[in-house]
Amino acid sequence: MSVPPNSWQPETVVLETSLGNVTVELYWKHAPVTCRNFAELARRGYYNRVKFHRVIKDFMAQTGDPTATGKGGASIYGQTFKDEINKDLKHAGAGILSMANSGPNTNGSQFFITLAPTQWLDGKHAIFGRVSSGMSVVKRIGMVETDNSDRPIDDVRILKAHPEN
């Protein structure tokens, strides 16, 4: 599949999860490449039925890996793409939408939503949006019981993800 044109910029993506809906506003001005990747993966159905594979209370909830291992997933640009770190954006509180990675310039499909301020991630993970509605759902995800590897005991999934204007 091809990469969508630069003119395609849906304002939000809705994550219909097994615990309720979360709408995220995308920061196209600050991270257009990252937003395009996320919105297009959602449009293609890539995130449908994907688990939240890592949840750490008072830190973050991570998803976007179709293998649910924390090691899978690819971007629309190939396996990975470069970081879009913007010094004006900070992991200043709960509800920040940010790319998960395994080091510099290793963004793929995985992302996380913060559950609290996580300032130590500033400059290391590309922020590309925020939760605009459904924060109560994010808080519930953040409180699920997990095993000693931070994997939810009972599956929490994105049932469907789709961009909206």
Side-chain angles (χ1 to χ4, degrees):
M1 290 189 186
S2 64
V3 175
N6 291 345
S7 60
W8 184 72
Q9 296 187 359
E11 294 176 20
T12 61
V13 169
V14 177
L15 306 174
E16 297 177 16
T17 80
S18 51
L19 294 180
N21 290 358
V22 176
T23 301
V24 293
E25 169 192 348
L26 301 180
Y27 293 166
W28 287 94
K29 179 181 171 188
H30 300 291
V33 172
T34 307
C35 288
R36 188 164 292 104
N37 179 67
F38 179 73
E40 176 61 9
L41 288 173
R43 189 190 68 78
R44 292 178 185 179
Y46 190 88
Y47 294 129
N48 295 355
R49 304 291 305 150
V50 171
K51 292 180 186 180
F52 280 84
H53 63 273
R54 186 173 177 224
V55 176
I56 303 174
K57 186 177 178 161
D58 297 322
F59 176 32
M60 61 88 205
Q62 185 172 336
T63 184
D65 174 6
T67 70
T69 64
K71 298 177 182 177
S75 80
I76 64 170
Y77 309 110
Q79 194 63 29
T80 61
F81 65 97
K82 290 185 178 183
D83 292 328
E84 282 185 301
I85 305 292
N86 186 300
K87 62 180 173 56
D88 295 329
L89 300 178
K90 307 288 184 194
H91 295 88
I96 303 297
L97 183 65
S98 192
M99 289 302 290
N101 63 41
S102 58
N105 303 312
T106 59
N107 300 292
S109 62
Q110 294 186 50
F111 64 94
F112 61 90
I113 300 172
T114 60
L115 302 171
T118 55
Q119 62 279 1
W120 62 91
L121 300 179
D122 293 347
K124 297 175 184 169
H125 294 268
I127 296 170
F128 64 100
R130 69 171 185 90
V131 173
S132 57
S133 70
M135 198 59 209
S136 62
V137 174
V138 171
K139 287 178 183 177
R140 281 203 311 269
I141 293 169
M143 294 187 302
V144 299
E145 184 181 358
T146 57
D147 66 16
N148 60 3
S149 297
D150 303 315
R151 296 186 184 283
I153 300 294
D154 297 316
D155 287 350
V156 179
R157 293 183 184 268
I158 298 171
L159 302 175
K160 183 179 180 184
H162 52 91
E164 289 192 341
N165 286 328

